[in-house]
Amino acid sequence: MSERRSSESGFPINGVYTEADLPEDLDSRLGSPGEFPYTRGVYPTMYTSRPWTMRQYAGFGTATESNARYHQLLRAGTMGLSVAFDLPTQMGYDSDEPIAHGEVGKVGVAIDSIEDMRLLFADIPLDKVSTSMTINAPGSVLLLLYQLVAEENGVPGTALNGTIQNDILKEYIARGTYIFPPKPSLRLVADTFAYCRKEVPKWNTISISGYHMAEAGATPAQEIAFTLANGVEYVRAALAAGLAVDDFAPRLSFFFVARTTLLEEVAKFRAARRIWARVMRDDFGAKDPKSMMLRFHTQTAGVQLTAQQPEVNLVRVAVQGLGAVLGGTQSLHTNSFDEAIALPTEKAARLALRTQQVLAYETDLTATVDPFAGSYVVEAMTAEIEAATVELMERVADHGSAVDAIEAGFQKREIEQSAYRIAQEIDSGERVVVGLNRFTVDEEEPYEPLRVDPTIEAAQADRLARLRSERDADEVTRTLADLRAAAEGTDNVLYPMKAALRARATVGEVCGTLREVWGLYRPTDRF
C-alpha cells in the first residue's frame, strides 16, 4: 500500500474526517442543486431525469473509415459523437502539404474540405445527434464545414447541437497545436461567439479545457485554476469585442479530466462550479443563471493508462468514470483500455461505452443528486481545492492576464514541476502504478492493435488534386480575397470564411490566408 498521505493537489489527507473539518459557511457554499453557486450541480434534477451524454471520441484514417466507426457507436447506444482530427487538420494544413507528410490520418481523421466532411457524417442525422469536435486553432473552419454539410441535408444551423473545443490558450500552455499569435486567435474566438449567437444558437462555442494540462502533469488545483483563468480571458475578449456577457456566456462550456483519485476528483468538479459561478456573477455582472453555470465534459485520464497489462485499464477507466459522474459531469468519454498502445479497436471502444452504460443503468448513481453533499471528507477537500485554485488564479492575475502569464511561461513551469514530481514518485515506487512498478508479470499476452492504412496520405492527395481541378478557381480566389479583407479589418471573419468553404476552398487554403495576414506564433514571440 502506498505511504502517500497527501492529495494530488498537495494538501494533506486526514485518516479520519469529522464535522470539525467542514467549512463553517457550508450551507452558503452548497446551495441547492440547480441554484447558485451550483456546487451540487447545474440542474435541479441532474441524472434523476436523464443520464449524462455518453460520448465516444473517435476518428482515424479517412472520413469514410471514421464514419463507419460512428455508425457502430450509434448502434451500440452512444448519445453523442466526438471527433478526433489528425495533426495536419489541427494545424490548418492540407494532407498534401510537405509538413503533413507522415501524419495524415494518424491520430484522427483527415479533413481537407467540405467533401471530406460530407463523407465523415454521411447518413448521420445531424439534427438528432450532438457532435463535439476536438479542434482549436481552426475550430471555426471545421464548425462551418459541419454547418454547410447540415444545410445540404436540410438541417438549419438553429437545429444543430454540439461543441467545438476552440480553446487556443491552453495550446500555448500544454499542447502546442496553435497557429496564430494570441491576439488574432482571441479575435477569432470572439468572432465565433458572435457568429454562433446569430447562426448556430444552440452550439457550445468553446470548451475551455483543463484536460490537456492535466495530461501534461497539472494537479487538480492547477487544472481548474489555469482553465478558469483562461475562461476569464475569453470572457474579457468577448466583452472587448462588444458582446454582452449574457449573450455569450450561457454557451461557454468546459472540459476536464477524471483521474483515479476519485474523492479529490469529485471535490475538484464541485469547487470548479462554485468558483466559476462567483466569478461570472461578481466580476462580470452576469444576470442570466445560465451564464454562471459551469457545464463540462469529462474524459477519463489517458495519461494514467498503461501499455503493461492493458486490461487493468478497464478498471481504471471505470473508477475514473465513476468520479466524473459523482462530480456532476454533463457528458463523458471513457477511454478504451488499449489506447496506451494504439488507436482503439472496435471491441475496445464498445467496452468503453458499455462501462458508461453499466454506471448509468445498473447502479443507483442516477437515483439522487450529488450523493456526496455533506460528506466530511468531500466537503473538506472541496474547500481545500477551492482555496488552492483561487490562490493560483490570483498568481495568474498578478501577471496582468492569462495571456501575460502564458507569455511569461508561468503556467507551463508550474505544470512541468508537477509532472517532474509525479515522474520521480513513479520511478521511486512511492506512487504505485499497478502493472508498471508493482504487481508486474513476466510475460505480457499478445495484443493486436488497430493499424492505420499507410496509403491514406496518397489517397487524400489524389482527392485534393481532383477537387482543385473540378472546382471554380475564380470563385475560390474571390472568396479567399474577401476573407483576407475581413481579417485585415474588423468584420467578422466567419461569414467570408463560410463562403470560401462553400466554394470548396480547402482547410489549408483558408488557414493559409489567415496566416498571411495574422502571422504564425512562436514561443519566443511577444505582442
Side-chain angles (χ1 to χ4, degrees), residues 418-431:
S418 297
Y420 181 63
R421 173 179 56 82
I422 292 169
Q424 285 183 310
E425 291 174 357
I426 293 173
D427 289 345
S428 69
E430 180 184 356
R431 179 184 293 259

Side-chain angles (χ1 to χ4, degrees), residues 35 95 142 207 301 435 474:
E35 296 181 7
S95 296
L142 276 298
S207 178
D474 291 338

Side-chain angles (χ1 to χ4, degrees), residues 296-461:
F296 65 96
H297 168 71
T298 309
Q299 182 172 337
T300 56
V303 74
Q304 291 187 319
L305 302 181
T306 62
Q308 298 82 4
Q309 300 182 48
E311 293 84 356
V312 178
N313 294 329
L314 288 165
V315 183
R316 292 188 178 101
V317 168
V319 172
Q320 294 161 355
L322 178 63
V325 172
L326 289 170
T329 192
Q330 275 60 72
S331 68
L332 176 62
H333 163 84
T334 35
N335 288 329
S336 301
F337 75 91
D338 54 356
E339 287 188 49
I341 303 170
L343 290 168
T345 61
E346 179 184 347
K347 180 179 181 180
R350 186 170 62 246
L351 282 170
L353 176 60
R354 294 289 183 254
T355 301
Q356 294 201 53
Q357 291 165 335
V358 168
L359 291 175
Y361 301 111
E362 292 191 19
T363 74
D364 53 4
L365 289 173
T366 59
T368 188
V369 177
D370 190 25
F372 272 138
S375 158
Y376 297 150
V377 60
V378 169
E379 296 298 359
M381 282 188 169
T382 302
E384 291 269 19
I385 293 178
E386 180 180 11
T389 298
V390 169
E391 191 269 338
L392 275 169
M393 291 178 71
E394 289 172 350
R395 290 175 66 191
V396 170
D398 286 343
H399 287 83
S401 69
V403 171
D404 293 326
I406 288 168
E407 289 287 326
F410 171 68
Q411 299 97 320
K412 191 171 186 291
R413 280 196 306 272
E414 291 289 307
I415 291 170
E416 286 172 349
Q417 289 170 7
S418 297
Y420 181 63
R421 173 179 56 82
I422 292 169
Q424 285 183 310
E425 291 174 357
I426 293 173
D427 289 345
S428 69
E430 180 184 356
R431 179 184 293 259
V432 174
V433 180
V434 174
L436 178 65
N437 64 4
R438 197 181 294 188
F439 314 114
T440 58
V441 294
D442 294 331
E443 294 184 10
E444 295 283 348
E445 295 181 7
Y447 173 80
E448 183 60 37
L450 179 70
R451 304 292 184 190
V452 175
D453 186 349
T455 65
I456 287 172
E457 186 173 329
Q460 284 295 112

Side-chain angles (χ1 to χ4, degrees), residues 8 210 213-215 217-221 223 257-262 265 268-269 299-301 304 316 319-321 323:
E8 296 290 296
M213 290 186 270
E215 292 284 281
T219 67
E223 177 193 355
V257 78
R259 302 169 179 81
T260 52
T261 44
L262 186 147
E265 291 299 285
K268 176 191 77 177
F269 296 131
Q299 182 172 337
T300 56
Q304 291 187 319
R316 292 188 178 101
V319 172
Q320 294 161 355

Side-chain angles (χ1 to χ4, degrees), residues 75-93:
R75 287 193 297 270
T78 193
M79 299 152 62
L81 301 175
S82 188
V83 185
F85 297 94
D86 70 356
L87 279 176
T89 305
Q90 291 180 50
M91 298 295 290
Y93 291 109

Side-chain angles (χ1 to χ4, degrees), residues 449-502:
L450 179 70
R451 304 292 184 190
V452 175
D453 186 349
T455 65
I456 287 172
E457 186 173 329
Q460 284 295 112
D462 289 343
R463 285 173 53 77
L464 280 164
R466 187 166 59 252
L467 170 82
R468 293 185 178 114
S469 68
E470 293 175 351
R471 69 189 183 183
D472 186 333
D474 291 338
E475 185 180 8
V476 171
T477 300
R478 178 182 59 78
T479 54
L480 288 176
D482 291 342
L483 174 60
R484 178 189 296 275
E488 290 171 339
T490 59
D491 290 347
N492 191 313
V493 297
L494 269 75
Y495 290 96
M497 187 186 294
K498 184 180 180 184
L501 293 168
R502 183 187 289 114

